């Protein structure tokens, strides 16, 4: 039991050190103030945007909804008012979809349907490599 406890404590300490090192590495991360003019090149103020949650701060002049809402509204385990992707997109009626690497990983069950929807109803207008987010993918949807 003592050996297991030592291994667990060592694991917790190692994880903490790793998190601290990662935090220091993020000091050169993309900041939101530099993202604002970049995003504004593609997404004008007043637009309705469905996107990765962390981009909300970079687009304060938009009607922004997190892509988490897409997950929650299409999952019967999280709401009584279930809809499908098409229904949610008609309900919110976004002008743009802005995703990053993490958003693409988070939505694996929705991605094929979301990809098909975006291909059918819009076009990708930007794919921006980014050291912090992996990439920023911006789609303009037809309204």
């Amino acid at each position: 039991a003592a050996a297991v406890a030592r291994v667990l404590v060592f694991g917790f300490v190692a994880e903490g050190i790793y998190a601290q090192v990662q935090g220091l590495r993020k000091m050169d991360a993309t900041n939101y103030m530099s993202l604002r003019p970049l995003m504004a090149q593609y997404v004008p103020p007043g637009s309705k945007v469905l996107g990765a949650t962390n981009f909300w701060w970079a687009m304060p002049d938009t009607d922004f909804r997190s892509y988490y809402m897409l997950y929650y509204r299409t999952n019967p385990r999280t709401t009584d008012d279930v809809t499908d992707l098409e229904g949610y997109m008609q309900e919110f009626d976004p002008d743009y979809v802005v995703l990053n690497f993490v958003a693409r990983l988070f939505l694996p069950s929705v991605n094929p349907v979301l990809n098909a929807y975006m291909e059918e109803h819009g076009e990708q207008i930007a794919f921006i490599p980014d050291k912090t987010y992996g990439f920023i993918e911006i789609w303009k949807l037809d309204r």
Side-chain angles (χ1 to χ4, degrees):
V4 170
R6 273 187 238 129
V7 168
L8 287 174
V9 168
F10 177 77
F12 291 137
V13 170
E15 188 274 334
I17 291 170
Y18 177 77
Q20 290 297 322
V21 168
Q22 292 301 327
L24 291 174
R25 289 180 56 208
K26 293 291 183 185
M27 291 178 77
D28 69 339
T30 306
N31 70 52
Y32 291 117
M33 292 318 222
S34 68
L35 278 180
R36 281 184 181 183
L38 175 66
M39 299 299 225
Q41 291 178 31
Y42 302 101
V43 181
S47 299
K48 294 175 102 176
V49 180
L50 175 68
T53 308
N54 51 347
F55 293 135
W56 175 75
W57 290 98
M59 295 185 276
D61 299 325
T62 65
D63 182 1
F64 193 93
R65 298 289 191 291
S66 169
Y67 69 94
Y68 285 117
M69 288 304 298
L70 180 60
Y71 171 77
Y72 293 131
R73 291 295 313 282
T74 59
N75 187 337
R77 291 178 291 183
T78 59
T79 184
D80 292 331
D81 187 24
V82 177
T83 187
D84 60 5
L85 182 132
E86 183 95 21
Y88 180 76
M89 296 300 263
Q90 286 178 355
E91 181 182 305
F92 178 51
D93 196 22
D95 301 303
Y96 296 88
V97 176
V98 180
L99 301 173
N100 62 9
F101 178 74
V102 173
R104 286 296 194 176
L105 287 178
F106 182 77
L107 294 168
S109 63
V110 178
N111 266 330
V113 178
L114 180 61
N115 289 339
Y117 183 90
M118 292 187 309
E119 290 285 338
E120 182 179 337
H121 297 281
E123 66 176 312
Q124 186 178 34
I125 60 171
F127 186 89
I128 305 160
D130 185 86
K131 62 185 172 189
T132 303
Y133 303 109
F135 58 80
I136 300 169
E137 183 180 327
I138 302 174
W139 287 77
K140 182 174 183 351
L141 302 178
D142 300 329
R143 296 194 76 193

